Amino acid sequence: ASAQDWQKRSIYQLVTDRFATSDGSAPPCDTGERIYCNGTWQGVISRLGYIQNMGFDAIWISPIVANIEGTTPEGQAYHGYWTQDQNALNDHFGTDADLKLLSTTLHEMGMYLMIDVVVNHMAATSLPPNYTAFTPFDEQADFHRFCWITDYNNQTDVEQCWLGDTNVPLADMDTEDDAIVDFFNNWIHNLVIEYGADGVRIDTVKHIRKSFWPAFVAAANVFSIGEVLDGDVNYVSPYTGVVDSVLDYPTYYPLYRAFNTTSGNLSELADTVKAAQSSYRLGEFMTGSFLENQDNPRFQSTQTDQALVKNAMAWPFIQDGIPILYYGQEQGYTGGNDPYNREALWLSGYEEDKPLVMHVRTLNAARKAAIAASDQYLNTSLKFLSVSQNTLVVSKPPMLTLLTNGGSASTPSWSVPDVGYAGDEDLIDALSCDTMKADKDGGVSVQGSGGMPQVRPDALCDSRDVR
Ligand code: ABC
Ligand code: CA
C-alpha cells in the first residue's frame, strides 16, 4: 500500500511477545525480567477483533526475524530488535504459515500489516562479537570498525559507531558497502512480498547515512515510516526527504510535557507543530503521531489524572498525520521506562467497556467521520485558533478540537470567533455527546467540565448504546 493509502488509516502498535498467546492463556509476565512471555502471531490473529472494534485499520508488529537466543544480562530478545539471522523468522512468535495467516486475515478484515525492520545492526553477546554466529554477514569486515556512539553531535559517529553496550553490542553493519546495500534492498523487497506487508516501520534510521534510504524504500515498494529518535524538528526534517514518513518524535516530547502537569506548556506543543508543518517535506501530513511506544515511559507512569490522560490521548487522532496507539494505553497501563512499558496485554482481560477503550473508539470514529465528511480533510493543515495558558483550540475542518491541561478539577472555557460554522448550528461533542450551539457568527464559546477535551464531528452519539 502507498503513503496515500495509509494516510487515512489508524495504527495499533503491538509488541508481539506481549499482546496475545496462541491458546488464549494468560501466563504471568514480569516485565522486569525481560524474558519471553509467549505472545505469538497466532495470538494476534485471535485478537484482531479487539483491535478493529476500537476503529483501527492497521497494526504494527515487532520485528519478525530470528534473534539471539538465551538470556543476556539484559534479558532475552522478546522485543525482536536483536537480529541474529536476517533470513529466518523468530520462531518464538510462530511459523512462516502463522505470519502469512496473520497477513491474509488482516487483509480479509480490510486491515493493513506494518512490519518493523532493522537494518542498522546485528546483536551480539560478546565484544568483540562472534561474527560467525550472524547470517548472512558473518565476518568482521561486514561491519563498521568498533566504537561506541558517545557523541550524538557527531553524525559520522551516529552512523558508523555502535549502539548497545558490552552486554549486548549492536554490531553496526557496513552500510557503505555495495554488497551489503544490495543485500538489504533485495531482502526488504522479498520480505514485503513474502509476508504481504502493506508498510514497514524502519528502525534506527538516523544511524545510517541518508543516501542509503531512498533505494531501500523504493525496493520495499510500500509505505515506510522511519524512526529518527530526536526531538529537534531541524534534525528530523531532512529525513522526511529520504523515507515516506517519520515517527513524530519532535512533537511527542512537547505533547507529553504539555499534558503531564496542569502547568504544562501548550505553546511549546503548538510551536513545534507549526515548525514541523513548515519544514517537513509533506508538512505534518504523513508523520506517525504517538503518545507512547516501546522506548518511552507510558503517559500514566507520571500522570494519572484521567482528564489530562484523555486530552493527551486525543492529540494523535486530531492532528495532520497518522495516529498510532501503543497497545495497552487503552487499558490504562502505567509502566515506566523500558522494560516496564511492555506489559502483557492478556493481564488486562482485553476488556472493551473501559473508559479509555471507549475514548479511543470515539476518537477513531471522529477522525473517520471528518475524513468522510470532506475530501479536503486530509490535505488541510490544522490551525491553532487559540493557545492560552491552559487551553488549545485546534481546527482542521470539519474537525474542531478543544483541549485543556487544567486537569479534572478544572472548568475550562474556550472561545473563538467565526470558526466557520453556520450561525446557531448545533454542535455535538463526540466525547460527551452533549450539544451546544455555535454563536450567531459561527464561532464557539464553550464552557467545559471536569477538564475534559471536546472533539467534533461526532459519529457515534446517535447510537449511544455502542459507546
Ligand atoms: C536495552 C535494555 C534497556 C536498556 C538499554 C540500554 O538496553 O532493554 O533496559 O536501557 C532494543 C530493545 C531495547 C534494548 C535496546 C538495546 O535494543 O527494544 O529494550 O534496550 O539493546 C530503536 C527501537 C528500540 C530498539 C532499538 C535497537 C532501536 O525503537 O526498541 O531497542 O534495535 C537510540 C536510537 C533509537 C533506538 C533507541 C533505543 O536508542 O537512536 O533508534 N530505538 C537520545 C539519542 C537517541 C537514542 C536515545 C535513547 O537517546 O539521540 O538516538 O535512541 O538512547 C530527546 C533528544 C533525543 C534523545 C532523547 C532521549 O531526548 O532530542 O536526541 O535521544 O529530547
Ligand atoms: Ca550505523
Side-chain angles (χ1 to χ4, degrees):
S2 69
Q4 258 58 43
D5 297 329
W6 277 86
Q7 200 185 356
K8 48 178 146 355
R9 300 254 163 179
S10 170
I11 305 172
Y12 187 81
Q13 178 197 355
L14 60 89
V15 172
T16 304
D17 182 60
R18 302 294 163 87
F19 179 71
T21 57
S22 292
D23 62 0
S25 63
C29 180
D30 179 348
T31 50
E33 285 190 51
R34 310 195 243 203
I35 59 175
Y36 280 101
C37 285
N38 268 331
T40 61
W41 295 315
Q42 281 284 356
V44 178
I45 294 169
S46 70
R47 294 288 176 183
L48 288 177
Y50 169 81
I51 298 173
Q52 191 171 44
N53 285 346
M54 279 184 281
F56 293 101
D57 42 21
I59 64 169
W60 151 12
I61 62 172
S62 305
I64 62 172
V65 299
N67 276 218
I68 55 179
E69 287 298 331
T71 307
T72 75
E74 280 157 23
Q76 301 175 348
Y78 70 90
H79 42 70
Y81 292 97
W82 290 346
T83 307
Q84 181 135 53
D85 183 347
Q86 297 287 5
N87 295 326
L89 291 179
N90 185 332
D91 58 19
H92 292 271
F93 300 154
T95 63
D96 186 85
D98 294 341
L99 183 53
K100 287 175 177 161
L101 185 62
L102 172 58
S103 179
T104 55
T105 307
L106 281 162
H107 294 154
E108 280 164 20
M109 294 172 72
M111 297 171 77
Y112 282 169
L113 173 63
M114 175 175 280
I115 297 180
D116 205 329
V117 297
V118 186
V119 174
N120 181 61
H121 50 258
M122 308 276 284
T125 51
S126 63
L127 193 63
N130 169 15
Y131 290 98
T132 61
F134 297 149
T135 304
F137 299 106
D138 56 2
E139 291 171 26
Q140 182 168 1
D142 299 321
F143 296 83
H144 287 133
R145 191 174 47 79
F146 168 72
C147 49
W148 296 124
I149 300 172
T150 51
D151 180 6
Y152 270 94
N153 295 314
N154 180 334
Q155 186 59 25
T156 307
D157 277 19
V158 169
E159 291 171 7
Q160 302 192 8
C161 290
W162 296 21
L163 285 162
D165 54 30
T166 46
N167 293 319
V168 184
L170 299 179
D172 205 69
M173 297 299 318
D174 180 3
T175 46
E176 276 64 39
D177 181 283
D178 287 344
I180 289 176
V181 170
D182 287 349
F183 169 81
F184 277 109
N185 290 346
N186 284 319
W187 175 82
I188 193 64
H189 184 80
N190 294 334
L191 181 149
V192 163
I193 290 172
E194 186 76 3
Y195 299 109
D198 304 286
V200 290
R201 179 271 190 188
I202 309 174
D203 194 59
T204 36
V205 163
K206 75 183 211 184
H207 298 283
I208 296 182
R209 64 191 162 90
K210 295 185 184 73
S211 55
F212 172 89
W213 294 114
F216 183 83
V217 163
N221 200 26
V222 288
F223 177 59
S224 58
I225 188 160
E227 181 218 19
V228 181
L229 205 172
D230 200 288
D232 182 355
V233 169
N234 296 319
Y235 183 88
V236 173
S237 187
Y239 291 94
T240 65
V242 298
V243 289
D244 288 334
S245 105
V246 293
L247 291 166
D248 199 358
Y249 261 106
T251 301
Y252 158 74
Y253 292 107
L255 168 65
Y256 194 107
R257 287 193 286 264
F259 295 102
N260 192 37
T261 73
T262 54
S263 54
N265 186 345
L266 296 175
S267 326
E268 187 199 13
L269 172 61
D271 290 344
T272 305
V273 170
K274 286 186 261 183
Q277 283 179 325
S278 63
S279 78
Y280 291 176
R281 180 172 56 94
L282 300 170
E284 282 266 74
F285 287 130
M286 285 295 169
T287 58
S289 179
F290 60 93
L291 179 66
E292 293 183 356
N293 65 24
Q294 80 284 15
D295 291 341
N296 289 284
R298 291 190 181 274
F299 186 79
Q300 292 210 60
S301 67
T302 55
Q303 178 54 265
T304 57
D305 179 307
Q306 293 303 295
L308 288 170
V309 171
K310 286 182 175 170
N311 275 274
M313 282 178 71
W315 177 264
F317 297 89
I318 63 102
Q319 48 78 55
D320 289 338
I322 301 169
I324 302 176
L325 185 102
Y326 180 57
Y327 87 101
Q329 188 175 20
E330 77 280 10
Q331 293 291 342
Y333 278 3
T334 58
N337 259 309
D338 169 11
Y340 302 103
N341 55 358
R342 298 159 179 200
E343 305 96 319
L345 196 64
W346 51 83
L347 299 175
S348 74
Y350 307 94
E351 278 176 43
E352 297 189 38
D353 56 358
K354 285 193 179 153
L356 295 183
V357 177
M358 292 189 277
H359 189 53
V360 170
R361 188 185 305 147
T362 305
L363 291 166
N364 265 322
R367 178 170 182 267
K368 285 286 182 315
I371 293 170
S374 161
D375 57 7
Q376 285 312 302
Y377 176 75
L378 292 169
N379 308 315
T380 303
S381 303
L382 73 79
K383 288 198 172 57
F384 295 96
L385 299 186
S386 111
V387 182
S388 78
Q389 178 84 39
N390 289 117
T391 62
L392 209 53
V393 178
V394 183
S395 169
K396 185 173 166 67
M399 185 174 268
L400 183 75
T401 309
L402 313 178
L403 297 174
T404 174
N405 65 359
S408 53
S410 71
T411 306
S413 63
W414 301 268
S415 184
V416 279
D418 192 10
V419 181
Y421 291 114
D424 298 323
E425 186 176 338
D426 269 345
L427 305 172
I428 299 171
D429 167 27
L431 299 173
S432 65
C433 293
D434 290 343
T435 306
M436 50 96 42
K437 275 192 185 315
D439 63 26
K440 65 176 176 21
D441 303 317
V444 292
S445 198
V446 181
Q447 179 90 46
S449 69
M452 284 290 290
Q454 300 195 15
V455 180
R456 305 184 174 86
D458 154 68
L460 301 177
C461 290
D462 286 347
S463 47
R464 281 173 201 239
D465 50 316
V466 303
R467 303 269 320 264

